[in-house]
Amino acid sequence: MTFVNEYISPDDVAKYGLEAIDKKCFVGATNARDWTIDRERNVYLRNVTNGREEYRSQSGWNFFWDGQCIYLEIDMLKFEGRRGGPCTAHKRLRRIELPETLVDRKPQILADLKKALIAHKDGGVFASCSDYSLTLDV
């Protein structure tokens, strides 16, 4: 399994119904047209909201896994590093909305989520860290 960061093609926007997903997001909506995707497994991670002002450390994501779109919220607890250099992040999974059919597979989902977040680094297609390590509290 390999996650890569890429821009989303118009065909993929239609295939995954991203415009309908975007309409559900109001405050802090990103309408992002980039994602972290494993095409072999048909799994993607996409940032859909970012907090503002005192909530800027909070973000909302869609994690498309096993044909289902999972919504989750992540808090950035700590970030260290600089553009072009190594970076470390400490994040917390604050909320995850698992469909009933996926509850028993939560450990596998969380393992894949961490891999996707590591590949996403500090910004997906806009990432500037040369190396990236992540601590994810669940």
Side-chain angles (χ1 to χ4, degrees), residues 27-85:
V27 177
T30 66
N31 296 314
R33 290 300 176 254
D34 65 290
W35 58 14
T36 303
I37 187 168
D38 178 340
R39 288 204 176 269
E40 282 182 30
R41 293 188 49 225
N42 195 30
V43 174
Y44 78 73
L45 177 70
R46 187 171 75 105
N47 178 228
V48 293
T49 64
N50 287 319
R52 297 181 181 144
E53 290 131 17
E54 70 267 22
Y55 303 104
R56 68 180 169 268
S57 64
Q58 299 175 0
S59 54
W61 301 78
N62 283 137
F63 191 47
F64 186 81
W65 196 90
D66 196 29
Q68 298 193 51
C69 196
I70 301 165
Y71 178 75
L72 49 102
E73 294 175 352
I74 295 176
D75 293 333
M76 174 69 78
L77 302 176
K78 186 175 183 181
F79 182 86
E80 293 179 340
R82 59 180 172 76
R83 183 176 291 277

Side-chain angles (χ1 to χ4, degrees), residues 59 61 63 70-77 90-98 106 109-110 113-114 117 135-138:
S59 54
W61 301 78
F63 191 47
I70 301 165
Y71 178 75
L72 49 102
E73 294 175 352
I74 295 176
D75 293 333
M76 174 69 78
L77 302 176
H90 184 185
K91 298 180 180 186
R92 176 181 60 224
L93 179 62
R94 181 165 32 99
R95 178 176 162 201
I96 185 167
E97 295 177 0
L98 283 179
K106 187 175 180 178
I109 292 166
L110 294 176
L113 173 63
K114 185 171 182 181
L117 287 167
T135 300
L136 180 63
D137 296 343
V138 293

